[in-house]
Amino acid sequence: VSAVLLDGRFLSQQVETYIRTRVTDLHARTKVTPGLAVILVGENPASKAYVAKKSRVAKSLGFQTFDHTVSATTTQEALLELIQQLNADSKVHGILLQLPLPPGLEQEVLLDAIDPRKDVDGLHPLSQGLLARGSGVLRPCTPVGSMLLIDLAYALQSNKNLTEDFQFPKNLPSVDLSGKTALVVGRSVLVGKPMVHLLLERNATVTLAHSRTKNLPELCGNTDILVAAIGRPEFIQGKWLSPKAIVIDVGINRLNDGRLVGDVEFSVAKDVCAAITPVPGGVGQMTVAMLMMNTVLACEKLLNSKEVL
Ligand SMILES: NC(=O)c1ccc[n+]([C@@H]2O[C@H](COP(=O)([O-])OP(=O)(O)OC[C@H]3O[C@@H](n4cnc5c(N)ncnc54)[C@H](OP(=O)(O)O)[C@@H]3O)[C@@H](O)[C@H]2O)c1
């Protein structure tokens, strides 16, 4: 392996250590514990596993958790009522509606019903609008976690022994990407589009590719940073990449033999590019950590707004 492995498991543990101290401080000051409500609709096995993981990590960080498992035959009205209850519940600071929803439910209407102050997934139109404007606090978890992995790549370039005695956020400065090129493949509201805004915020020159893009191999070969969020196993071939590339593989694809792979051909890419995230153990770990960070941020902000009132 010639590429530096960007270890999401390691970095998420450091972020979680930091969150624990913030939760302890918050509780000492206010006697309030961050509360995360997670709504799971139906029996999708991947969604069940994600929700169980989020709940487990939230508990391990000292949060209060409120798990709502709802039958796939539920109605839009019943879900809206549940969201309204959680909006009104002062013990709940973050609300997560696990996606995808079963057919028949209107995802956007339900996401729009979440109080934007509790929108820890960053998918409410207000959160997305603020992000596009270059402000806002609650930003989508996967792109924010991906940015931290890019910061890790640059930090490791200047200090190979960084992970010994590493402390978050002290040892992970936000890198200025002036003069760097970034290619995002995939234009979803969940990953691709918010990723573009975060990269622009850091002054990268950004290209957004999607299924209608014609010259993908060429674009991949010319970029300093590549973020792949496509949902097609090993679609980005290792030989397309350049030795300078930092590769953030957001894809999670399960093969027929049960293995999980990303959107990038890791077995080849790891000997070609400069740095790469593994799948699993990369972006997925960071997504969960950033959900926890957003819950703390939402809690702190809600408490502050009450103090002002
Ligand atoms: N690690 C994590 O925590 C995490 C979080 C979220 C998602 N994911 C994973 O990331 C992947 C993407 O998720 P998503 O929600 O963003 O998916 P999505 O909503 O299905 O979007 C996929 C995007 O990929 C583009 N695309 C499809 N085929 C392409 C091709 N041949 N060439 C170039 N672009 C192509 C699509 O283009 P069009 O718009 O033109 O159709 C679309 O914009 C999935 O594997 C998902 O499981 C992981």
Side-chain angles (χ1 to χ4, degrees), residues 110-290:
L110 293 164
L111 289 175
D112 295 0
I114 293 173
D115 182 335
R117 294 172 305 170
K118 300 187 178 186
D119 173 36
V120 283
D121 242 354
L123 296 179
H124 189 280
L126 186 68
S127 311
Q128 299 247 326
L130 289 171
L131 173 63
R133 203 171 70 171
S135 54
V137 171
L138 300 178
R139 288 149 163 223
C141 306
T142 301
V144 175
S146 298
M147 280 309 307
L148 291 184
L149 287 163
I150 293 170
D151 287 334
L152 181 65
Y154 283 103
L156 286 168
Q157 268 178 13
S158 47
N159 177 3
K160 293 259 178 302
N161 297 322
L162 180 76
T163 51
E164 288 162 27
D165 304 323
F166 181 90
Q167 274 182 26
F168 178 85
K170 192 175 124 203
N171 299 116
L172 201 66
S174 299
V175 178
D176 179 3
L177 299 173
S178 295
K180 302 286 183 199
T181 54
L183 172 68
V184 179
V185 192
R187 55 175 160 180
S188 70
V189 167
L190 189 63
V191 189
K193 285 178 184 166
M195 192 70 219
V196 166
H197 292 302
L198 294 178
L199 287 160
L200 281 174
E201 207 170 78
R202 298 286 195 89
N203 301 317
T205 303
V206 188
T207 303
L208 178 55
H210 45 77
S211 69
R212 314 292 173 92
T213 301
K214 290 281 180 243
N215 54 341
L216 195 57
E218 192 189 319
L219 291 171
C220 289
N222 282 322
T223 190
D224 296 308
I225 296 164
L226 170 72
V227 181
I230 310 167
R232 287 169 154 239
E234 302 182 325
F235 180 78
I236 305 241
Q237 295 181 28
K239 67 176 183 208
W240 296 353
L241 303 170
S242 96
K244 67 178 176 181
I246 292 169
V247 178
I248 307 296
D249 191 351
V250 178
I252 302 179
N253 309 288
R254 192 166 290 282
L255 302 181
N256 289 336
D257 64 9
R259 276 187 308 133
L260 278 185
V261 296
D263 289 344
V264 179
E265 188 192 13
F266 183 83
S267 56
V268 178
K270 72 179 185 343
D271 293 319
V272 176
C273 62
I276 187 165
T277 58
V279 177
V283 176
Q285 300 287 322
M286 292 304 295
T287 297
V288 178
M290 297 336 292

Side-chain angles (χ1 to χ4, degrees), residues 52-70:
K53 161 117 196 184
K54 288 165 186 172
S55 222
R56 199 169 58 241
V57 175
K59 283 195 181 80
S60 80
L61 296 178
F63 294 8
Q64 267 194 287
T65 56
F66 306 88
D67 295 337
H68 293 269
T69 305
V70 182

Side-chain angles (χ1 to χ4, degrees), residues 22-24 26-28 30-36 58-59 61-66 90-94 295-296 299-300 303:
R22 216 149 143 167
V23 171
T24 309
L26 182 71
H27 189 263
T30 63
K31 300 279 171 278
V32 174
T33 303
L36 175 64
K59 283 195 181 80
L61 296 178
F63 294 8
Q64 267 194 287
T65 56
F66 306 88
S90 61
K91 292 193 291 307
V92 173
H93 306 100
T295 306
V296 176
C299 179
E300 290 176 349
L303 290 174

